[in-house]
Amino acid sequence: MSSELTGYLPLALMVLFVITIIYLGARDKRRQRQAWRIFATRQGWTFSQSGDVLEVQGLYRERQLSLLTEKYGTGKGSHFVTVLRLELTDALPQELHLETETFGDKFLKLFGKVDEEVGDAALDSALSLRNLSPRTRELLLTPTLREPLLRAHKSYQRVSIIAGMLEAAKEGVPTAHEDLEALIAPALALADALHLSTGQALPPHSRRRAQS
């Protein structure tokens, strides 16, 4: 091989590497879109895309639901998170403020800044609570609500119930519709438990299968 051709080899390898990265990235995005579209169709919901943002919208037990991707950070530190938002209507008092307890919350507790507690070690360690009424405190301690709360806490990076809206976030973007179904399951189980805590029967959730 001539020295002239040898000099072009590193450049050719670099171009090939860039093309491979672009191809793999495009393939992953196609898989994501296909998975989200299939997932939405099977649930009877709608899928849309705006730039890099994927979103599924619909009704779950007659309540508005949105599942979408959000980009956090900038530059090399940026990453995508999948976020579920579901209206809870009157499942819990509108003034209740419930969030996953962060490292910052735990740090502030060392200096005497504490949130409200329900008297359960696992729940109090997992959640930051405000505006608790005696009735709400009692509800959170019932096994039928306590277990879904702890399961949701373990399943997501962040869980919150603020102003009647349930929000659950997990890092990454699923590329299979089965993974999307698994992702939303703990949050929907929590929403169902919250609804049942009001003493009302669960409205049906109708689904339709993806067309073959």
Side-chain angles (χ1 to χ4, degrees):
M1 182 180 293
S2 68
S3 59
E4 183 178 351
L5 291 177
T6 303
Y8 283 112
L9 183 59
L11 178 60
L13 291 175
M14 183 178 299
V15 171
L16 179 61
F17 175 76
V18 172
I19 291 174
T20 301
I21 293 299
I22 293 174
Y23 169 77
L24 293 176
R27 185 190 63 180
D28 288 344
K29 288 183 182 298
R30 286 197 301 272
R31 287 179 176 176
Q32 286 176 353
R33 288 195 299 270
Q34 183 180 16
W36 282 61
R37 188 178 290 109
I38 292 173
F39 166 75
T41 303
R42 290 191 173 190
Q43 299 291 334
W45 298 334
T46 60
F47 166 76
S48 62
Q49 181 177 7
S50 177
D52 289 332
V53 176
L54 308 177
E55 184 169 14
V56 169
Q57 290 184 313
L59 294 177
Y60 177 73
R61 302 198 189 281
E62 301 177 358
R63 290 166 290 180
Q64 188 64 44
L65 174 146
S66 173
L67 182 71
L68 73 159
T69 59
E70 294 184 350
K71 187 176 183 180
Y72 289 7
T74 58
K76 293 183 178 180
S78 66
H79 61 284
F80 277 93
V81 175
T82 302
V83 182
L84 171 73
R85 295 188 177 97
L86 177 64
E87 293 180 357
L88 296 177
T89 61
D90 57 353
L92 282 173
Q94 289 286 312
E95 65 271 14
L96 174 66
H97 187 111
L98 178 155
E99 290 184 279
T100 301
E101 188 166 275
T102 65
F103 177 79
D105 295 326
K106 296 182 185 298
F107 181 76
L108 290 174
K109 282 186 175 182
L110 298 176
F111 297 91
K113 184 176 177 58
V114 297
D115 60 325
E116 298 181 47
E117 297 185 340
V118 295
D120 179 283
L123 285 176
D124 291 333
S125 175
L127 304 173
S128 176
L129 300 164
R130 291 199 308 230
N131 301 329
L132 279 176
S133 68
R135 174 58 178 160
T136 302
R137 181 179 283 104
E138 181 182 345
L139 284 175
L140 295 179
L141 289 171
T142 60
T144 53
L145 194 51
R146 177 183 181 274
E147 296 309 316
L149 269 171
L150 291 176
R151 193 176 306 116
H153 171 260
K154 292 178 181 178
S155 301
Y156 304 104
Q157 272 73 42
R158 187 182 77 255
V159 179
S160 68
I161 299 175
I162 301 174
M165 176 72 72
L166 169 63
E167 182 173 308
K170 190 168 186 177
E171 289 191 8
V173 180
T175 56
H177 63 85
E178 297 91 347
D179 293 338
L180 283 161
E181 292 173 1
L183 185 148
I184 67 172
L188 298 188
L190 173 57
D192 287 349
L194 288 165
H195 189 93
L196 289 171
S197 71
T198 65
Q200 305 175 54
L202 285 174
H205 173 50
S206 59
R207 303 186 183 194
R208 55 188 174 90
R209 292 186 175 275
Q211 297 180 354
S212 57

